[in-house]
Amino acid sequence: MGIRNTVRDYWRLLNQPAKYLSLGVLTLGGFVAGILFWGGFNTAMEFTNTEQFCISCHEMEMKPYQELKPTIHYTNRSGVRAECADCHVPHDWTFKVARKMEASKEVWGWIFGTINTHEKYEARRRELAEREWARLKANDSLECRNCHNFEYMDFTEQAPRARMMHASSLATGEATCIDCHKGIAHRLPDMTGVSAWQQAARHFENEDN
């Protein structure tokens, strides 16, 4: 009887008229509106992850996209291509939303033409690159690891210096992908004063010699 009375009470509550509509209709309407909003929100967010959207502004199409096209991330023997969001947007939904909120300030830069010319872009290339390197360093190169996994790497197929660096990173956990793979998809800025880069460059130069 208690359950029956509870169900009856809820039914009366939902059937109780509001000023113009019953509470049940309002609840159902709110539920449907929530679904539509959620679906629209996710659709819009996923659209902003597409390459079409990323290069729709002149600044991105002019520089980063053109620099990506000659690289192995764009064209390779397997035909698996990384798009902008694969490297610059986390795949996990929570972190993806946070990244979108952080990137919203880029709209401000677009409105005021912060990097809308070749000269402006080159002047800020180092700043833009370091900001992205720091983000990847902080999350242990998460976007890289979404596709590349040490467990599935055949070290015997790698060049000696790459095999050594990957084995060392796997053993110590001190380095992450972006520490060595700066400039893999876009042209490097002036690296003067970047000691870690200079050390790696000297190491590779000595090994090649």
Side-chain angles (χ1 to χ4, degrees):
M1 291 297 293
I3 295 177
R4 181 179 299 175
N5 290 336
T6 301
V7 171
R8 185 182 298 122
D9 290 341
Y10 274 117
W11 173 251
R12 287 174 179 170
L13 178 64
L14 292 175
N15 202 39
Q16 177 180 328
K19 186 174 182 180
Y20 299 105
L21 298 172
S22 70
L23 185 58
V25 171
L26 292 175
T27 302
L28 180 61
F31 179 73
V32 172
I35 292 177
L36 293 175
F37 171 80
W38 189 253
F41 175 78
N42 277 285
T43 299
M45 187 166 66
E46 289 306 316
F47 175 71
T48 63
N49 278 348
T50 63
E51 186 176 88
Q52 175 188 2
F53 177 84
C54 292
I55 64 174
S56 62
C57 68
H58 173 69
E59 291 87 341
M60 292 299 103
E61 198 279 335
M62 173 184 67
K63 280 291 183 180
Y65 184 62
Q66 297 305 320
E67 293 173 359
L68 171 67
K69 290 172 74 173
T71 71
I72 197 170
H73 278 94
Y74 187 90
T75 303
N76 53 70
R77 64 181 180 276
S78 65
V80 178
R81 183 160 72 87
E83 296 188 351
C84 308
D86 293 320
C87 299
H88 295 286
V89 180
H91 292 194
D92 181 82
W93 194 88
T94 302
F95 295 109
K96 181 188 297 185
V97 173
R99 179 74 181 102
K100 290 294 183 181
M101 294 174 64
E102 177 188 11
S104 63
K105 62 185 177 183
E106 295 171 8
V107 177
W108 180 271
W110 175 75
I111 292 174
F112 289 93
T114 305
I115 54 172
N116 62 347
T117 67
H118 172 78
E119 292 74 21
K120 288 180 181 180
Y121 187 89
E122 290 301 324
R124 302 195 65 169
R125 181 185 284 271
R126 174 76 173 264
E127 175 190 345
L128 296 169
E130 288 185 336
R131 185 185 303 162
E132 193 64 3
W133 295 339
R135 186 183 70 81
L136 286 166
K137 178 71 173 179
N139 71 9
D140 194 22
S141 298
L142 178 60
E143 284 73 54
C144 302
R145 297 177 188 274
N146 284 328
C147 295
H148 302 279
N149 192 318
F150 279 133
E151 294 182 14
Y152 307 120
M153 288 183 182
D154 184 354
F155 288 174
T156 63
E157 295 293 326
Q158 297 179 353
R161 65 188 185 192
R163 181 166 61 246
M164 181 192 68
M165 297 297 286
H166 287 151
S168 174
S169 177
L170 184 61
T172 64
E174 293 178 355
T176 187
C177 310
I178 197 61
D179 289 317
C180 299
H181 293 285
K182 294 179 176 69
I184 195 160
H186 304 292
R187 187 167 65 81
L188 284 167
D190 179 6
M191 300 299 288
T192 302
V194 183
S195 58
W197 171 266
Q198 291 171 338
Q199 292 171 12
R202 283 197 297 270
H203 167 76
F204 293 157
E205 182 180 354
N206 292 338
E207 184 174 317
D208 290 338
N209 293 335

